């Protein structure tokens, strides 16, 4: 195993006064150097030596290493166990104090930082002298940044051109139901967004740093803690919806929905621009001023419009926000203009078009539905209206540009939903109370009240629209005229301006959202070939390349010039995002993770689940084929990320869920009694550092992968009072090595004073509940003859301990040995020298160098990684150990690399009963259903071995003999005192037959299995009291001179195979 070096800590001295600021500055590498004052004296404590430096401070009136809680101790925390600026490590607080009486110090606290609970974060640190202050990026509050942006994105052409028509079709009552159903989904999603965005700090003030940045030649400058700093002048790359989902659900779902959401926003730019271009085209058509033709006019106007919007976006977020406010005011004015128009007495022209101001009987008639045409159904109208309720993510998409996202997103999003919903309800109710469903628009249709032959509600107001109603040729009225709002309003052109403002503001919002989301996705490097678009420019880190990509996509879809062809898939992609956001909130809540603590409390996990389910249902109700396309893309991208397994750790709810599932299943296993049919061979493998014994790791990994528990154990040998290493860092390095080698195993280590006591700890404590190892796997001790006698005793003692704890034992011997640490060391030494050279050049070198980390890329190949072809796996089932000797080779043969190998079983027998014994063994194996049919009986197993092999065995044990001349037991025990591994003459004579059997078995192995791919054999069990040297001599003799790997397998005498079905 590994022996820890005993390091002497250099003396450290402290004098003078320290403030917390000085203390933190000193820890960061010497910035703000301390200068002692003349009045320095110690009043209550001696300086101490802790982790190579003495840090003195006064906390709560007395001297202590502990520091009070502070903001910077928790900022940018990523993983459990990371040390933070200003907080002493556990070693600093726990190490033995070593006073230095030659120097005195008086720590004095800094009154300005005595409580440590500062509001400023590390990104707000003071500017160093001689440098220009970093320009402050533009930040928005909840009104300008979220509420107005969401309201503009929610309002659109549906408000002006389709809501009156929907009211005529469905009636006021069902129209309100459609509105409220749509708003229910968006409100639940808004609550989920609020909960997720307030569960910690949303991306604001720090860049969306991709994994892998920070290597030489990549990334930006680093601070003293080695973390990536935001470049001067750079702000945030807001991930918006992608950031919320990916950091909550993980990169698999977050990455897929982020990519399609960014694409959907880019196409939405085209959709809104085409809506604007159609309105302009209609105005040109009314005045007979078409540029080319109706279709190409949409293309020309759309391309010019989106180019102008791109220029506004490139001007910066400040100009974009000003443009949005302008659009917002235009829409408000147009809406007020409409409300004013409803109370102005109707002129004869407006009456001819069906407008009669507020009338109770008009309200009553329009309160009930009047379905017409192929779209005259509830769900058809719902599918048309629902896109007008989307757009609630516009504020979250620029979360990085908000002053306080945790406050702005909930408040602004929910207020936007409230005001837009109110506007929809008011518009539906008011226009349904003022305008009849059918009108001719002809001034000649006025009649005297009570005239005969006049049918319909308009007759009571002096108008006869009976003719056009019966012929279904009415051009005006709610059911026929899409521009009813413009007709009702006080000044029609203001409604047209409102349509322009709604379409352009939505297009501009999507044009800003898409590059921001895509920029953060690019920087996370979840997908290949997109990193080019992650670069930001200017103080707001504007994604110029992302803007250009969005522009190209938008122009491509604008050239289609057909709004109905673009809209369906857009709505489905947005709904897919809503479903995942709601599921993120539900999943984070249901896992009960302690890290899920949103400050926004007005949400429900069950409401979030309902929102996710109803969003999926609506997707298929809107357009089933578009829903299938959206789900197909999500599943494809999900599969890619699952396959690539990006090296990111965002503390997602998927991780929390995995922990919960593992915990529940582990506890559930404890409630079920064990059964032979469900036997799993859990292996505790004494690998030391796993990279040092790759063949042992590969061997066990072959038959445990996706099947049973494999646990790599390492005993760190160290004196009791020695400073312990950071075991978590060591374990992470070894685990990464196992993961890169695609070995599904755990790693654990213990610190002990000797190998045997450490293994005893592992045997007793390894595992969890029923998921505990039951086989001890270790390498054969090749140097047992030259090693210290105590290490020999410990090695054999480990085997005894395994049997005492009901473990099976598996020893592996290879001709070339197992330990490749010397080969690895040859690769590591040049790296160590490079580190030393860097240190002499003034570069910071790590305080400790972990050989496993340095050898991470060095993956030694072994025989267990290559295909074996048509060789044999020979099993020598000499003793019945419960079937473990058969089971492990059987599991090996099931693997692809060993699948072509023929398995042969050898058993001992008598020469005169060979056929009968073979039939018995074949029958037994057939009942085990192992598929072993090649059975050989060894009749000559008890023959006397060759004299030269007997002499070799005698020479092997000669250095370990007492040569006591068969003296009595008391004299032998006295001679053996202090050297229990010695073999007395009586023990040699008593075990002579057993010794000769091992010699003979080796001869048989050489005869039958010289060219096998693997040999599995049942070894003898050494009784307690048997000298360790004699037992090792048996194992040495049994397995020597064999080219293939030899596996010495001994079960714990309990059945691991059964031929019963219950």
């Amino acid at each position: 195993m590994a022996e820890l070096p005993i390091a002497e800590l250099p003396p450290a001295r402290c004098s003078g006064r320290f403030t917390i600021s000085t203390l933190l500055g000193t820890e960061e590498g010497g910035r703000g150097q301390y200068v002692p004052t003349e009045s320095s004296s110690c009043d209550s404590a001696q300086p101490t030596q802790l982790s190579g430096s003495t840090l003195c401070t006064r906390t709560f009136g007395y001297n202590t290493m502990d520091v009070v809680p502070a903001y910077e101790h928790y900022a940018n925390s990523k993983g459990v166990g990371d040390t933070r600026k200003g907080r002493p490590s556990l070693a600093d607080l726990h190490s033995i104090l070593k006073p230095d009486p030659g120097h005195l110090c008086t720590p004095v606290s800094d009154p300005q930082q005595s409580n440590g609970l500062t509001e400023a974060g590390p990104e707000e640190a003071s500017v160093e002298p001689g440098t220009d202050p970093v320009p402050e990026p533009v930040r928005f509050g909840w009104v300008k940044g979220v509420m107005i942006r969401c309201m503009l994105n929610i309002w659109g052409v549906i408000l002006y051109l389709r809501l009156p028509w929907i009211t005529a079709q469905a009636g006021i009552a069902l129209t309100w139901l459609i509105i409220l159903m749509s708003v229910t989904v968006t409100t639940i999603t808004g609550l989920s967004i609020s909960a997720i965005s307030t569960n910690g700090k949303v991306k604001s003030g720090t860049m969306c740093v991709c994994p892998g940045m920070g290597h030489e030649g990549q990334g930006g400058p680093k601070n003293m803690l080695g973390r990536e700093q935001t470049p001067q002048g750079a702000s945030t790359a807001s991930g918006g919806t992608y950031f919320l989902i990916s950091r909550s659900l993980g990169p698999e779902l977050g990455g897929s929905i982020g990519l399609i959401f960014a694409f959907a926003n880019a196409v939405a730019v085209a959709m809104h621009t085409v809506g604007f271009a159609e309105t302009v085209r209609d105005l040109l058509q009314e005045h007979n001023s078409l540029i080319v033709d109706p279709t190409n006019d949409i293309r020309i106007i759309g391309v010019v419009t989106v180019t102008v919007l791109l220029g506004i976006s490139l001007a910066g977020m400040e100009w974009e926000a000003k443009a949005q406010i302008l659009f917002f005011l235009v829409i408000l004015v147009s809406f007020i203009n409409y409300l004013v128009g409803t109370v102005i007495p109707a002129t004869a022209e407006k009456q001819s078009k069906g407008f009669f101001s507020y009338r109770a009987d008009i309200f009553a008639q329009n309160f009930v539905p009047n379905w017409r045409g192929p779209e005259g159904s509830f769900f058809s109208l719902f599918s048309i209206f629902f896109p007008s309720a989307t757009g609630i993510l516009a504020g979250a998409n620029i979360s990085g540009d908000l002053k306080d996202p945790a406050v702005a997103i909930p408040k602004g999003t929910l207020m936007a939903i409230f005001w837009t919903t109110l506007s929809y309800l008011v518009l539906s109710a008011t226009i349904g109370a003022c305008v009849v469903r059918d009108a001719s628009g002809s001034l000649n249709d006025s009649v005297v009240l009570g005239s005969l032959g006049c049918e319909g509600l308009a007759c009571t107001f002096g108008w006869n629209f009976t003719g056009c109603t019966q012929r279904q040729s009415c051009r005006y009225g709610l059911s026929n005229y899409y521009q009813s709002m413009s007709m009702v309003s006080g000044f029609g052109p203001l409604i047209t301006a409102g349509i322009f403002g709604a379409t352009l503001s939505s297009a501009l919002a999507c044009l800003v959202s898409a590059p921001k989301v895509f920029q953060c996705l690019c920087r996370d490097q979840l997908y290949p070939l997109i990193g080019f678009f992650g670069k930001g420019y200017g103080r707001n880190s504007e994604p110029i390349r992302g803007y250009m990509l969005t522009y190209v996509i938008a122009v491509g879809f604008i050239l289609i010039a057909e709004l109905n062809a673009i809209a369906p898939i857009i709505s489905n992609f947005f709904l897919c995002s809503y479903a995942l956001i709601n599921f993120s909130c539900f999943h984070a809540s249901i896992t009960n993770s302690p890290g899920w603590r949103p400050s926004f409390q007005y949400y429900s996990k069950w409401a979030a689940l309902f929102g996710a389910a109803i969003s999926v249902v609506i997707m298929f109700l809107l357009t089933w084929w578009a829903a299938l396309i959206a789900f197909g893309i999500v599943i494809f991208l999900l599969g890619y990320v699952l396959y690539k397994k990006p090296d990111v750790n965002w503390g997602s709810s998927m991780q929390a869920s995995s922990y919960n599932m593992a915990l529940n299943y582990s506890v559930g296993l404890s409630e079920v009694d064990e059964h032979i049919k469900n036997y799993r061979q859990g292996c505790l493998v004494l690998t030391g550092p796993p990279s040092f014994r790759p063949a042992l790791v590969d061997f066990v990994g072959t038959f445990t992968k996706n099947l049973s528990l494999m646990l790599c154990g390492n005993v760190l040998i160290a004196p009791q009072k020695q400073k312990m290493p950071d075991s978590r860092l060591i374990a992470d390095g070894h685990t990464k090595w196992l993961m890169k080698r695609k070995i599904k195993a755990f790693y654990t280590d213990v610190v002990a004073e000797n190998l045997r006591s450490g293994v005893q700890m592992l045997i007793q404590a390894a595992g969890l509940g029923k998921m505990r190892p039951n086989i001890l796997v270790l390498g054969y001790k090749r140097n047992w003859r030259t090693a210290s006698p105590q290490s020999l005793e410990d090695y054999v003692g480990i085997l005894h301990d395994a049997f005492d704890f009901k473990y099976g034992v598996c020893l592996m011997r290879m001709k070339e040995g197992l330990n490749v640490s010397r080969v690895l060391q040859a690769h590591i030494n040049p790296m160590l020298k490079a580190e030393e050279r860097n240190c002499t050049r003034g570069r910071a070198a790590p305080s400790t160098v972990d050989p496993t980390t340095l050898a991470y890329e060095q993956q030694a190949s072994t025989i267990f990684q290559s295909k074996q072809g048509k060789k044999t796996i020979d099993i020598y089932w000499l003793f019945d150990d419960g079937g473990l000797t058969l089971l492990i080779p059987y599991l090996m043969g099931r693997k692809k690399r060993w699948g072509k190998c023929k398995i042969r079983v050898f058993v001992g027998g008598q020469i005169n009963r060979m056929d009968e014994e073979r039939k018995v063994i074949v029958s037994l194996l057939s009942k085990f259903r192992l598929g072993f049919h090649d059975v050989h009986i060894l009749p000559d197993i008890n023959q006397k071995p060759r004299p030269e092999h007997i002499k070799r065995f005698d020479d092997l044990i000669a250095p370990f003999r007492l040569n006591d001349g068969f003296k009595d037991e008391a004299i032998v025990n006295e001679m053996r005192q202090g050297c229990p591994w010695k073999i007395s003459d009586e023990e040699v004579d008593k075990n002579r037959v057993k010794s000769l059997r091992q010699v003979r078995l080796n001869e048989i192995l050489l005869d039958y299995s010289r060219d096998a791919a693997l040999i599995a054999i049942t070894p003898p069990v050494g009784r307690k009291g048997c000298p360790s040297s004699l037992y090792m001599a048996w194992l040495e003799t049994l397995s020597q001179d064999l080219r293939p790997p030899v596996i010495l397998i001994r079960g714990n005498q309990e059945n691991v195979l059964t031929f019963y079905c219950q």
Side-chain angles (χ1 to χ4, degrees):
M1 296 301 161
E3 185 171 351
L4 299 179
I6 302 176
E8 289 294 333
L9 297 175
R13 305 186 183 278
C14 167
S15 61
R17 295 177 181 268
F18 279 88
T19 65
I20 292 182
S21 300
T22 307
L23 175 62
L24 299 182
T26 304
E27 283 190 331
E28 291 189 3
R31 290 181 298 168
Q33 186 173 354
Y34 160 71
V35 179
T37 61
E38 295 181 1
S39 59
S40 300
S41 62
C42 233
D43 58 354
S44 62
Q46 298 292 340
T48 61
Q49 173 195 336
L50 298 173
S51 297
S53 66
T54 302
L55 307 176
C56 301
T57 183
R58 183 184 293 276
T59 304
F60 304 132
Y62 68 94
N63 294 334
T64 177
M65 283 293 298
D66 271 337
V67 294
V68 294
Y71 175 94
E72 57 268 19
H73 298 165
Y74 298 91
N76 296 321
S77 59
K78 294 181 180 179
V80 177
D82 290 352
T83 55
R84 298 292 162 219
K85 181 178 75 170
R87 180 191 296 156
S89 67
L90 188 61
D92 291 331
L93 302 175
H94 194 238
S95 300
I96 299 174
L97 297 177
K98 295 183 179 181
D100 183 4
H103 293 78
L104 301 176
C105 68
T106 301
V108 177
S109 61
D110 187 345
Q112 295 181 353
Q113 304 218 12
S114 58
N115 61 354
L117 298 174
T118 57
E119 294 294 332
E123 65 272 13
E124 298 169 9
S126 59
V127 180
E128 294 183 6
T131 61
D132 296 332
V134 178
E136 191 67 27
V138 179
R139 302 286 185 214
F140 305 116
W142 69 272
V143 176
K144 185 190 294 187
V146 181
M147 189 186 77
I148 292 179
R149 191 176 300 273
C150 287
M151 291 178 70
L152 288 172
N153 219 19
I154 293 172
W155 282 332
V157 292
I158 300 294
L159 172 68
Y160 292 95
L161 303 181
R162 290 296 182 271
L163 189 57
W165 173 76
I166 293 174
T167 303
Q169 289 268 6
I172 296 173
L174 291 184
T175 301
W176 276 36
L177 181 60
I178 290 174
I179 294 172
L180 294 177
M181 284 178 60
S182 303
V183 170
T184 298
V185 176
T186 57
T187 302
I188 293 174
T189 307
L191 295 176
S192 298
I193 292 173
S194 302
I196 295 173
S197 62
T198 57
N199 186 50
K201 205 172 182 182
V202 183
K203 261 311 191 204
S204 176
T206 56
M207 293 186 70
C208 189
V209 181
C210 64
M213 292 181 74
H215 296 289
E216 188 173 355
Q218 296 182 3
K222 296 182 181 179
N223 58 21
M224 296 301 294
L225 295 178
R227 295 186 181 86
E228 195 80 20
Q229 286 182 323
T230 305
Q232 194 174 39
S235 174
T236 178
S238 169
T241 305
Y242 159 71
F243 182 82
L244 294 178
I245 298 177
S246 63
R247 269 55 175 180
S248 180
L249 275 180
E252 297 85 6
L253 286 174
S256 58
I257 201 61
L259 195 60
I260 67 170
F261 186 73
F263 179 76
N265 271 282
V267 181
V269 175
M271 183 184 72
H272 294 299
T273 305
V274 168
F276 168 80
E278 281 187 356
T279 306
V280 176
R281 189 270 318 267
D282 291 343
L283 290 175
L284 294 176
Q285 208 166 10
E286 287 181 6
H287 296 83
N288 297 318
S289 301
L290 288 177
I291 304 173
V292 181
D293 57 65
T295 302
N296 285 317
D297 280 10
I298 292 177
R299 293 169 179 159
I300 295 171
I301 297 169
V303 171
V304 172
T305 303
V306 79
T307 304
V308 173
L309 294 178
L310 176 66
I312 296 175
S313 301
L314 292 178
M317 290 295 296
E318 195 168 359
W319 283 98
E320 186 266 346
K322 291 177 181 178
Q324 294 284 30
I325 293 177
L326 177 62
F327 291 141
F328 183 72
L329 293 176
V330 170
I331 293 175
L332 285 184
V333 170
S334 69
F335 199 75
I336 295 172
N337 172 52
Y338 158 75
L339 292 177
V340 170
T342 61
V343 296
I344 296 177
T347 63
E349 181 180 359
K350 287 187 177 183
Q351 287 183 354
S352 68
K353 294 180 180 180
F355 172 63
F356 298 98
S357 295
Y358 291 105
R359 299 295 175 95
D361 43 2
I362 295 179
F363 181 85
Q365 185 186 56
N366 289 335
F367 191 78
V368 294
N370 182 19
W371 310 112
R372 297 184 185 182
E375 296 171 337
S377 66
F378 180 83
F379 283 107
S380 295
L381 296 178
F382 181 86
S383 66
I384 294 173
F385 174 80
F386 185 79
S388 67
T390 61
I392 60 173
L393 301 178
N397 285 337
I398 62 160
S399 58
D401 295 299
L402 302 175
K403 293 178 181 177
D404 189 356
V407 174
I409 292 176
K411 195 172 182 179
T413 302
L414 295 177
M415 288 299 293
I417 293 174
F418 172 78
W419 288 116
T420 52
T421 303
L422 184 64
S423 66
Y424 285 142
L425 295 175
V426 169
L427 175 61
S428 175
T430 53
I431 204 165
C434 296
V435 184
V436 296
R437 284 191 168 102
D438 296 294
S440 63
S442 173
L443 295 175
N444 297 325
D445 287 339
S446 60
V447 295
V448 180
L449 293 177
S451 299
L452 297 176
C454 183
E455 298 178 359
L457 186 63
C459 297
T460 60
F461 307 130
W463 292 87
N464 185 5
F465 303 135
T466 306
C468 72
T469 302
Q470 292 177 345
R471 293 189 303 270
Q472 297 183 353
S473 61
C474 295
R475 296 179 54 192
Y476 295 94
L478 286 182
S479 297
N480 309 293
Y481 189 47
Y482 289 151
Q483 300 284 349
S484 294
M485 278 190 67
S486 179
M487 181 265 295
V488 171
S489 65
F491 184 62
L494 283 180
I495 300 297
T496 303
I499 296 174
F500 288 173
T503 53
L504 292 178
S505 64
S506 297
L508 187 58
C510 293
L511 185 59
V512 171
S513 298
K516 293 278 187 178
V517 174
F518 194 58
Q519 182 184 38
C520 192
L521 180 64
C522 293
R523 286 177 170 174
D524 282 338
Q525 294 184 350
L526 300 181
Y527 302 104
L529 307 177
I530 62 173
F532 172 79
F533 298 99
K535 183 175 176 60
Y537 296 86
R539 61 176 181 172
N540 269 45
S541 189
E542 295 292 343
I544 304 298
R545 297 173 180 176
Y547 279 123
M548 300 309 298
L549 178 63
T550 304
Y551 174 78
V552 171
I553 295 173
V555 168
F557 280 86
I558 287 173
L559 296 179
I560 297 175
E562 180 58 50
L563 190 63
N564 293 336
I566 303 173
I569 199 166
I570 299 297
S571 299
N572 277 275
F573 277 157
F574 284 140
L575 276 169
C576 194
S577 302
Y578 293 176
L580 278 176
I581 287 177
N582 285 309
F583 182 74
S584 299
C585 182
F586 167 75
H587 196 266
S589 303
I590 204 71
T591 55
N592 293 321
S593 173
W596 175 250
R597 303 184 303 274
S599 57
F600 182 82
Q601 297 294 324
Y602 304 102
Y603 74 97
S604 169
K605 58 185 177 183
W606 302 115
L609 179 62
F610 173 77
I614 200 66
S615 297
V616 174
V617 171
I618 292 173
M619 286 179 66
F620 285 92
L621 289 178
L622 294 182
T623 316
W624 64 267
W625 57 267
L628 291 178
I629 291 175
F631 274 106
I633 294 175
V634 170
I635 292 172
F636 172 77
L637 296 175
L638 171 66
Y640 176 82
V641 177
L642 286 173
Y643 174 75
K644 295 297 291 183
K645 292 183 174 63
D647 186 18
V648 294
N649 182 14
W650 296 330
S652 66
S653 62
M654 287 296 182
Q655 294 172 328
S657 178
S658 298
Y659 179 88
N660 282 357
M661 291 175 62
L663 182 62
N664 291 333
Y665 284 132
S666 298
V667 173
L669 280 176
S670 301
E671 301 173 358
V672 180
D673 293 334
E674 295 179 352
H675 195 281
I676 300 174
K677 286 172 60 178
N678 294 325
Y679 172 82
R680 299 296 175 110
Q681 62 289 350
C683 295
L684 172 59
V685 192
L686 300 184
T687 59
S691 59
F692 286 3
R693 293 172 178 82
L696 191 62
V697 172
D698 291 339
F699 162 66
V700 180
T702 301
F703 64 85
T704 60
K705 187 175 183 179
N706 297 326
L707 184 64
S708 56
L709 176 67
M710 176 180 174
L711 199 152
C712 296
N714 185 14
V715 179
L716 303 174
I717 301 173
Q720 185 176 2
K721 294 185 179 180
Q722 183 181 342
K723 180 184 176 183
M724 296 298 103
D726 191 340
S727 60
R728 185 179 288 112
L729 295 178
I730 296 175
D732 287 346
H734 295 314
T735 302
K736 288 180 180 178
W737 184 90
L738 291 168
M739 292 172 61
K740 184 173 183 181
R741 205 171 181 85
K742 297 182 179 179
I743 300 294
K744 295 191 176 182
F746 298 98
Y747 169 85
T748 187
D749 52 35
V750 295
V751 179
E753 294 189 354
N754 57 68
L755 176 62
R756 184 175 182 182
S757 62
V759 174
Q760 287 174 343
M761 296 178 194
L762 288 173
I763 289 176
Q764 295 178 79
L768 180 68
K770 292 292 179 68
M771 293 185 62
R772 301 179 66 86
N774 47 29
I775 302 173
L776 180 68
V777 184
L778 65 165
Y780 178 75
K781 190 174 180 64
R782 298 178 68 201
N783 65 338
W784 66 274
R785 284 173 286 179
T786 57
S788 64
Q790 186 57 48
S791 67
L792 176 61
E793 279 287 296
D794 286 347
Y795 184 82
V796 177
I798 289 171
L799 303 182
H800 289 304
D801 295 336
F803 289 131
D804 288 339
F805 289 107
K806 299 295 184 180
Y807 271 58
V809 171
C810 181
L811 297 176
M812 181 177 178
R813 181 175 186 180
M814 296 184 67
K815 187 175 181 180
E816 62 273 15
L818 296 173
N819 195 335
V820 297
S821 57
R822 291 186 178 182
V823 179
L824 290 179
Q825 197 67 31
H827 294 278
I828 293 172
N829 283 338
M831 300 182 191
L832 291 173
K833 292 177 182 178
E835 292 289 341
E836 293 173 0
R837 288 196 298 269
N838 291 342
C839 189
T840 57
R841 294 173 186 170
R843 299 181 186 177
S847 57
T848 59
V849 180
D850 181 15
T852 304
T853 303
L854 291 177
Y856 175 57
E857 299 295 334
Q858 303 296 331
Q859 293 280 347
S861 60
T862 67
I863 187 176
F864 299 98
Q865 292 181 315
S866 58
K867 293 185 178 180
Q868 298 303 309
K870 296 183 178 181
K871 298 181 181 179
T872 62
I873 298 176
D874 292 347
I875 304 173
Y876 288 83
W877 195 24
L878 304 179
F879 308 103
D880 191 353
D881 61 346
L884 187 63
T885 308
L886 295 174
L887 181 61
I888 290 180
Y890 165 74
L891 296 174
M892 296 276 293
R894 291 169 59 179
K895 300 301 180 181
K896 185 177 181 180
R897 291 170 180 157
W898 298 78
K900 294 183 178 180
C901 291
K902 181 181 180 181
I903 299 180
R904 303 188 298 177
V905 180
F906 296 86
V907 295
Q910 299 178 11
I911 193 169
N912 56 350
R913 299 183 66 248
M914 287 181 60
D915 291 339
E916 292 83 353
E917 292 182 353
R918 185 181 183 278
K919 290 179 181 179
V920 171
I921 296 299
V922 169
S923 175
L924 178 61
L925 294 178
S926 65
K927 291 179 179 179
F928 287 147
R929 306 174 306 281
L930 296 174
F932 299 164
H933 304 294
D934 194 353
V935 178
H936 299 265
I937 304 299
L938 302 174
D940 53 353
I941 195 171
N942 291 320
Q943 290 182 3
K944 189 175 181 179
R946 299 171 190 170
E948 62 270 21
H949 293 161
I950 297 175
K951 183 178 183 302
R952 185 171 62 176
F953 176 77
D954 292 336
D955 294 341
L956 184 64
I957 64 173
F960 302 95
R961 296 187 61 171
L962 273 176
N963 297 317
D964 55 292
F966 296 94
K967 294 182 174 63
D968 58 29
E969 186 176 355
I971 297 175
V972 171
N973 289 337
E974 185 178 350
M975 293 177 64
R976 186 184 279 172
Q977 189 173 6
C979 48
W981 54 87
K982 290 289 187 178
I983 312 170
S984 68
D985 293 343
E986 182 180 357
E987 288 168 332
V988 173
D989 186 64
K990 182 172 60 176
N991 294 290
R992 189 65 178 174
V993 175
K994 197 170 187 177
S995 299
L996 293 180
R997 175 175 290 181
Q998 313 312 316
V999 178
R1000 177 58 187 157
L1001 284 173
N1002 180 254
E1003 293 176 350
I1004 294 173
L1005 291 173
L1006 290 171
D1007 290 340
Y1008 288 94
S1009 304
R1010 188 182 299 271
D1011 297 323
L1014 182 72
I1015 299 173
I1017 185 171
T1018 310
V1021 175
R1023 292 187 178 274
K1024 293 182 180 179
C1026 177
S1028 57
S1029 55
L1030 178 59
Y1031 184 69
M1032 289 302 299
W1034 291 343
L1035 300 183
E1036 176 74 24
T1037 301
L1038 180 63
S1039 58
Q1040 65 185 352
D1041 298 334
L1042 293 171
R1043 184 195 59 80
V1046 179
I1047 312 299
L1048 304 171
I1049 307 173
R1050 187 77 198 206
N1052 62 356
Q1053 301 305 111
E1054 295 181 0
N1055 289 348
V1056 299
L1057 297 173
T1058 182
F1059 42 73
Y1060 294 111
C1061 63
Q1062 61 184 12

